[in-house]
């Protein structure tokens, strides 16, 4: 397995026992060294929800949440019910 980006982000992504998504819950999207927070605005099904009225998130077979259209093994990691925004100042 190839490790990339921030170690903190990779550890956060691997959190298990994520809660069932509900409207109003924050999500943290982990990208390379940054983390961005969005809010769930619509729950379509237990395996799909919409954040900030325009991005769809789906639960994959491997148990991880990913933005719709991203590959199962790549893309940004998503953690439900955690608001932990961080912008790396070195970029």
């Amino acid at each position: 397995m190839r490790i990339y980006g921030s170690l903190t982000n990779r550890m956060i992504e691997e959190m298990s026992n994520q809660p069932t998504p509900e409207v109003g819950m924050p999500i943290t999207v982990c990208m390379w060294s940054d983390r961005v927070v969005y809010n769930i605005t619509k729950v379509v099904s237990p395996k799909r929800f919409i954040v900030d009225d325009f991005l769809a998130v789906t639960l994959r077979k491997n148990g991880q949440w990913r933005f719709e259209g991203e590959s199962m093994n790549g893309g940004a990691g998503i953690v439900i019910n955690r608001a932990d925004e961080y912008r790396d100042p070195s970029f």
Side-chain angles (χ1 to χ4, degrees):
M1 181 173 150
R2 190 170 192 199
I3 303 295
Y4 58 91
S6 161
L7 177 60
T8 302
N9 287 1
R10 300 297 76 84
M11 290 173 19
I12 290 171
E13 287 175 12
E14 296 302 319
M15 290 176 54
S16 59
N17 300 324
Q18 291 200 49
T20 303
E22 296 176 12
V23 172
M25 276 185 173
I27 67 164
T28 298
V29 179
C30 301
M31 303 174 287
W32 292 93
S33 59
D34 296 344
R35 293 184 296 275
V36 180
V37 174
Y38 294 101
N39 291 302
I40 298 174
T41 54
K42 181 180 180 181
V43 177
V44 179
S45 73
K47 294 184 177 186
R48 186 173 190 265
F49 59 87
I50 308 295
V51 294
D52 290 347
D53 292 327
F54 66 95
L55 295 169
V57 177
T58 58
L59 182 62
R60 304 302 170 87
K61 292 181 222 176
N62 64 3
Q64 295 183 342
W65 292 94
R66 295 286 189 248
F67 284 116
E68 203 166 71
E70 289 186 341
S71 70
M72 187 163 55
N73 297 322
I78 295 173
V79 182
I80 299 174
N81 206 25
R82 181 178 176 120
D84 185 13
E85 187 146 334
Y86 175 76
R87 304 285 179 154
D88 188 344
S90 63
F91 287 100

